[in-house]
Amino acid sequence: HFSVVRFGLVLRFAAGKHDFARVVERTESGWRASLVCLDPARALAPTLNAAASVVLLSATLEPFEVIRRLTGLPAARTDAIALPPPFPRENRRVMLIPNVRTTYASRERNYEKIAAILARLADAHPGNDLALFPSYRFLREVATRLPPTRARVIEQREKLTDLEKREILRALETPTRDGLLFFA
């Protein structure tokens, strides 16, 4: 009910505006209608500029000028700062695994491989591991295929309650003997 009401409000907001694309597609489960916002600044700027101050935080806000234009923030009132990662470089290991593809088109064929690799990585040492996914669907698909691992597995879900967020933070702050594998 709420999704339909929310979609109706956005549809009303987008009516007659050329910065929204209306998309109707036929899928295996039926028809799907969606709106694609082509110019988010038009929708965001009135709210952001009405505020005395706004703080935008993310690991993906660069390049700053592009984000500033997309949000409609005026250049004269906008400052940006980039901070280095808070984690020691020696705690980071970057690995390229050539036989696994994570592109949108390839994901479904690779869920099992990704899950197996993450379990092996978590079992390879007693520390904590963080597996970041671009969507909750991708996260769930890999998590449901995760083979048994000695590490405690925690999955971030959409719309966590404050209590659930606190429990996750507490788990991340509390060292465990077998480590922790956090899907986010």
Side-chain angles (χ1 to χ4, degrees):
H1 168 76
F2 292 113
S3 295
V4 172
V5 169
R6 191 170 30 252
F7 185 77
L9 291 170
V10 173
L11 191 60
R12 193 173 313 136
F13 174 79
K17 295 181 180 165
H18 298 290
D19 47 2
F20 283 87
R22 289 117 182 113
V23 179
V24 177
E25 61 184 317
R26 189 176 189 170
T27 67
E28 290 180 12
S29 59
W31 290 92
R32 180 178 165 193
S34 60
L35 289 170
V36 178
C37 181
L38 304 175
D39 182 13
R42 195 159 176 186
L44 295 173
T47 301
L48 296 177
N49 290 320
S53 64
V54 175
V55 177
L56 302 177
L57 298 170
S58 176
T60 56
L61 287 178
E62 291 186 285
F64 295 127
E65 182 57 26
V66 172
I67 300 300
R68 190 197 61 71
R69 282 195 321 267
L70 286 173
T71 55
L73 294 169
R77 289 184 56 203
T78 304
D79 288 316
I81 184 172
L83 301 171
F87 308 107
R89 287 187 75 76
E90 61 270 12
N91 287 4
R92 179 176 45 170
R93 176 161 300 170
V94 177
M95 302 169 77
L96 300 177
I97 303 171
N99 64 335
V100 175
R101 297 188 53 84
T102 58
T103 61
Y104 186 77
S106 303
R107 285 179 189 167
E108 199 166 319
R109 292 188 306 271
N110 287 276
Y111 291 147
E112 300 279 344
K113 288 180 189 175
I114 295 166
I117 289 167
L118 290 174
R120 283 182 40 215
L121 288 171
D123 283 344
H125 66 95
N128 294 340
D129 293 287
L130 173 64
L132 297 173
F133 296 85
S135 72
Y136 286 107
R137 180 173 184 264
F138 190 3
L139 181 156
R140 281 190 307 272
E141 294 292 345
V142 172
T144 59
R145 291 165 173 80
L146 191 70
T149 177
R150 70 178 186 185
R152 178 178 172 203
V153 178
I154 297 178
E155 293 176 47
Q156 180 184 9
R157 291 184 304 100
E158 294 172 270
K159 301 176 183 161
L160 292 173
T161 66
D162 287 339
L163 175 63
E164 290 169 320
K165 290 176 191 174
R166 283 194 303 273
E167 287 174 355
I168 288 174
L169 289 173
R170 194 173 310 116
L172 292 171
E173 292 170 345
T174 307
T176 62
R177 188 173 52 91
D178 294 326
L180 185 125
L181 175 55
F182 182 39
F183 281 55

